[in-house]
Structure formats: C-alpha cells, structure tokens
Amino acid sequence: MILSVIRTIMAGGSVDVKAVLAQVLAIIFVIVCILPLHELAHGWTANKLGDPTARLERRLTLNPLASVDPVGTVWLFLFGFGWARPVPVDPRYFKKPKRDMAIVAVAGPVSNLLAALVGAVLLFAVLAFAPYNAVTDFILNMFSYYVTVNVTLAAFNLLPIPPLDGSRILGAFLSDRALATYYRYQNIFVMALFVLMFSGAFSGPLYAVESVLTQGITWIAALPFRLFGVL
C-alpha cells in the first residue's frame, strides 16, 4: 500500500491524502484487532482438536502485543498483506495430525473472510442510511480498504507455500514422504515468494483470487439490503 503511494509520487502522480489516511487507519485496526483474531482462530481450533499448547502458553488472546510480528507489520503497511507471530501448535496431540493441522490452518483465513464480511455489511449500512458527505466518503474508504486487506490476508495465507496456512492445507493431501520433502525445501519456497512479490510477478494470480473472494463477500453483504430495497 505505502509502496504503491511511493511509486505514484516517484512517477510524478498525485496522491489522495484523505484516502491514504483512511487506508492507514484501516491497517492499524487490522494489526490491533484482526491479526490477533487470525491467530486466536488457529489456537482456539487447535485447542478444540486436543492441542492445549496455545492455551497453556496464553496465546488464546486478542491482545495484539502477543501476536504482532515486526516484519509482518511492515509488510502490511508496504504491500497490504503481512503476518502475525504464529501461535504454537503441536500436531502430536491430534488424532489425525495432517487432517487436523489442515483444519487449524484454514481457521485463520476463514476468520479474515468473516471479518471482511462484517466490514462489508457495515459499508453497505453506511451507503444505505448515512447522508453522503466528506465524512461519509472517508468512512466508506476506510471500510472498503479494511475489506480489501482482510481478503488479501486470506488469499495470501491460502498460498500453498511454507510456512503459510495453505501449505498446511496442502499437507493433508500429501504422503508423509512427499510432505517431508516439501518442508525440506521450504526456505527456497520462501525466497521465491519474496522475489515474486517484490517483482510484482505474483500480483496477477493473487489479485484474481482476491477478486473472486471480494465479489462473493460483497454479494452476501449487500443481499439483505437489496431484499429490503434500501440499496
């Protein structure tokens, strides 16, 4: 996000300061409230499946100080996606380790999609009932970017690249031998991910996934307002 602003300025373009401020506030809210929710979803699901590790280490919390990762936070401001400090999960407690790890992994992105849905409902509520003015426009920008960041976080974490959640989901479908080989080369996968992200080569496929998710969320969020004829 900040990176795109810098590129615009360097290219001689103009920047909407109010829009940038709305985006910054949305990101701060995501860092303080949603990243901890993402990790809580992992830990809570793991606890329900028999792994008490996160609970015993007091990571079943919405306290942002327990979840903030400095590098992931910087990435969130620069690119619009990032990560938190992961909750500890010990698959040895699970009855079916690969399956249960996949369930734990998918809980994080699902929490982001639910958070995006709540934001989208609030956005349409403002559109439907608030008189349009400069304040309303600012609030709409903030909610819109909040939804976008959450969808981006969900899409990013679903990538099947270690240590992202998608790798745990993919692991449920791999043999033990293939899974061991997969994680043996995870450092190479991470380096490749960084290169692709910085070069912009991965923005197209990621944007395509985000578009599908965003369309689905906005359709669901707008449905009750359309049914009552207020949109």
Side-chain angles (χ1 to χ4, degrees):
M1 172 227 146
I2 298 296
L3 189 62
S4 64
V5 172
I6 294 172
R7 286 173 176 170
T8 300
I9 294 173
M10 291 180 65
S14 59
V15 175
D16 187 336
V17 177
K18 289 183 180 178
V20 172
L21 178 60
Q23 293 174 5
V24 169
L25 290 177
I27 288 178
I28 290 173
F29 183 82
V30 168
I31 292 169
V32 173
C33 298
I34 306 303
L35 290 184
L37 176 65
H38 179 108
E39 295 306 322
L40 175 62
H42 286 314
W44 182 86
T45 305
N47 188 57
K48 288 296 183 180
L49 291 171
D51 174 22
T53 308
R55 174 171 55 82
L56 294 176
E57 295 192 15
R58 298 182 178 180
R59 289 297 308 277
L60 297 185
T61 176
L62 288 173
N63 183 354
L65 296 179
S67 300
V68 169
D69 179 275
V71 177
T73 299
V74 170
W75 269 59
L76 193 56
F77 275 106
L78 287 176
F79 303 104
F81 57 85
W83 56 88
R85 187 164 69 90
V87 297
V89 178
D90 189 343
R92 291 176 297 180
Y93 286 100
F94 297 145
K95 292 180 180 179
K96 295 184 178 181
K98 289 197 293 185
R99 182 205 66 182
D100 292 347
M101 276 298 295
I103 295 172
V104 170
V106 80
V110 166
S111 72
N112 286 118
L113 294 177
L114 291 175
L117 179 60
V118 171
V121 169
L122 293 174
L123 186 151
F124 284 116
V126 173
L127 276 174
F129 302 114
Y132 187 79
N133 51 43
V135 175
T136 305
D137 184 66
F138 182 84
I139 293 172
L140 290 173
N141 273 330
M142 191 167 60
F143 276 131
S144 178
Y145 197 72
Y146 165 82
V147 171
T148 298
V149 171
N150 272 289
V151 171
T152 301
L153 286 171
F156 177 69
N157 277 284
L158 286 172
L159 293 174
I161 299 174
L164 300 177
D165 296 330
S167 67
R168 310 293 182 185
I169 299 169
L170 177 62
F173 302 97
L174 298 178
S175 66
D176 291 340
R177 183 176 180 180
L179 188 61
T181 303
Y182 181 55
Y183 281 110
R184 187 179 305 132
Y185 296 104
Q186 68 174 341
N187 289 337
I188 296 175
F189 289 133
V190 171
M191 291 175 60
L193 176 64
F194 272 90
V195 171
L196 289 171
M197 290 299 181
F198 274 107
S199 67
F202 211 79
S203 58
L206 190 62
Y207 179 74
V209 176
E210 291 169 14
S211 296
V212 173
L213 293 174
T214 301
Q215 288 174 12
I217 285 171
T218 53
W219 185 85
I220 294 171
L223 185 60
F225 297 96
R226 293 194 177 114
L227 289 176
F228 286 101
V230 293
L231 277 183

